[in-house]
Amino acid sequence: MHVSYGVPLAPLTTLGIGGPAASLAELHDPAEFPDFVQEVRHCTAPPVCLGEGSNVLVGDRGCALPVLRIATRGIRVLGAADDGRVLVEVQAGHPLWELVETLIAEGLAGMEMLAGIPGTTGATPVQNVGAYGQEVSDTLRSVEVWDWELGRRVTLDAAECALGHRTSMFKKSRRWTVLTLLFALRRAELSGPVTYRSVADELDVPLGSQVPPAEAAQAVLAVRRRKGMVLDSCENDRRSIGSVFFSPEVGDPMASKLRDLGAPVAHFPDGSTRVTASWLIRQAGFALNTSLTRGVRISSVHYTLVADDGASAAGFREAVDIVLRQVLDRTGVLLAPEIDFIGD
Ligand SMILES: Cc1cc2nc3c(=O)[nH]c(=O)nc-3n(C[C@H](O)[C@H](O)[C@H](O)COP(=O)(O)OP(=O)(O)OC[C@H]3O[C@@H](n4cnc5c(N)ncnc54)[C@H](O)[C@@H]3O)c2cc1C
């Protein structure tokens, strides 16, 4: 395992912001994880995990805690479980987009709507990654983690991970490092139902239709590319973390008021009804490309924040506050940031 010191973290994140890590260990071989545990045995707090850095804002002064960059790879189709679902084991560092492609090629359905989401598979339970009607909680069966409090490996059922709307117990505590994941997929020729209008329109099918998973994934990718929600699909808005805010939950009266205004309001598997943050940002009067702080602006294709040259973590946080305040003033809805903050 390779450990380096004083490594700039900015290039290891999609926002490209932030100072150095006091130490950075890169884990490529799962068998080397015990070496890392040895390396950090004197630390009083769990280390910081980093996947592809597509959902983090690193502080300008960097990170004093050891950082573990998880780059392990591997997908194993294990066979059928009792309920007929096919179990697939994935190493935490494996890119999610590659997993989605592999599953589609294997004729396995259940994750096709997650096409185009950047990041590692190990980070997916952290905020119960989801898009276009599917969430990791739909297919995740269990995770093998290192529990820094107990000092040993533990297998947790998905139900124990407290997966909710873009949240889980991993989002609230660094106690656990996800090492491997077990998913249960359907062997099926058709995707889950298409529940988003934009995807249905792209496919030219009615809402609720089921289509071959590869077609569903292509349609999702096309919709995402138009919004700059696939990394590198939009050179001008490359430095992004996707959505900066959670889609806030709204009660029934507010939901129907927002629907009347044309807002995209959707129901989620946890029973919540939510309006997209991007719609609220637009409604609050922000135009595409609006500059917020030095090097931080609204994307040129979607109502989210992106970074340019000169951006800093302090400036990004200030930009988040500017958006938050204006959305609250103009729409009455309080947004909450979805990003994970690393370091100071
Ligand atoms: C263009 C774009 C579009 C996006 N679209 C979506 C979307 O549609 N839906 C969605 O849900 N998200 C989306 N995201 C957010 C992001 O892709 C996900 O949150 C992704 O899971 C982050 O993976 P990562 O490997 O980059 O994690 P990182 O950003 O490196 O880390 C994110 C968090 O997870 C922790 N972490 C990482 N790996 C582990 C591990 N092995 N064990 C324990 N903790 C770990 C980190 O400490 C950190 O707190 C988007 C981001 C971008 C840039």
Side-chain angles (χ1 to χ4, degrees), residues 5 17 20 70 76 79 103 137 181 217 228 244 246 248 263 276 282 295 333:
Y5 301 90
I17 291 177
I70 302 177
R76 271 198 321 145
L103 296 177
S137 56
L181 306 92
V244 172
F246 292 109
T276 61
R282 178 182 182 174
V333 180

Side-chain angles (χ1 to χ4, degrees), residues 14 48-56 70 92 117-120 122-124 126-131 166 176-179 224 228-231 240-243 338 340 342:
T14 55
V48 171
C49 292
L50 193 63
E52 290 179 6
S54 64
N55 207 38
V56 293
I70 302 177
I117 301 181
T120 56
T124 59
V126 175
Q127 66 161 14
N128 185 20
V129 158
R166 302 297 161 271
W176 303 274
T177 293
V178 177
L179 298 172
R224 293 182 71 95
M229 282 289 155
V230 177
L231 278 182
S240 156
I241 38 175
S243 302
E338 178 186 299
D340 292 339
I342 288 184

Side-chain angles (χ1 to χ4, degrees), residues 32-251:
E32 291 184 342
F33 186 72
D35 297 346
F36 177 71
V37 175
Q38 272 299 310
E39 172 86 18
V40 297
R41 68 191 177 283
H42 298 305
C43 293
T44 48
V48 171
C49 292
L50 193 63
E52 290 179 6
S54 64
N55 207 38
V56 293
L57 177 62
V58 178
D60 292 317
R61 282 188 289 165
C63 184
L65 286 169
V67 176
L68 174 65
R69 187 155 184 250
I70 302 177
T72 51
R73 295 172 74 103
I75 300 174
R76 271 198 321 145
V77 179
L78 299 181
D82 291 346
D83 59 1
R85 300 224 162 193
V86 178
L87 298 177
V88 178
E89 185 192 76
V90 189
Q91 293 298 322
H94 209 101
L96 175 64
W97 70 267
E98 270 193 33
L99 172 63
V100 172
E101 275 191 358
T102 305
L103 296 177
I104 291 172
E106 291 279 338
L108 298 174
M111 292 181 89
E112 54 283 352
M113 305 296 182
L114 307 184
I117 301 181
T120 56
T121 308
T124 59
V126 175
Q127 66 161 14
N128 185 20
V129 158
Y132 299 104
Q134 274 176 358
E135 295 186 336
V136 157
S137 56
D138 300 339
T139 44
L140 187 68
R141 194 139 284 190
S142 63
V143 286
E144 190 191 22
V145 299
W146 182 264
D147 184 329
W148 292 97
E149 209 169 291
L150 298 179
R152 61 180 166 86
R153 281 174 196 260
V154 175
T155 299
L156 301 168
D157 287 340
E160 293 176 90
C161 302
L163 302 164
H165 178 73
R166 302 297 161 271
T167 192
S168 72
M169 65 186 189
F170 309 119
K171 185 98 179 165
K172 294 169 189 150
S173 164
R174 287 200 319 277
R175 175 174 163 181
W176 303 274
T177 293
V178 177
L179 298 172
T180 53
L181 306 92
L182 191 64
F183 293 94
L185 288 307
R186 283 182 301 119
R187 193 165 287 290
E189 287 177 6
L190 294 178
S191 68
V194 176
T195 55
Y196 275 65
R197 167 66 56 204
S198 52
V199 179
D201 288 351
E202 182 65 32
L203 287 160
D204 201 14
V205 297
L207 277 176
S209 305
Q210 291 178 274
V211 299
E215 287 178 23
Q218 282 310 316
V220 165
L221 278 171
V223 171
R224 293 182 71 95
R225 281 204 184 95
R226 283 201 286 277
K227 301 198 290 183
M229 282 289 155
V230 177
L231 278 182
D232 296 336
S233 60
C234 191
E235 182 55 27
N236 196 27
D237 303 298
R238 210 171 26 87
R239 289 171 61 184
S240 156
I241 38 175
S243 302
V244 172
F245 301 97
F246 292 109
S247 297
E249 186 168 4
V250 288

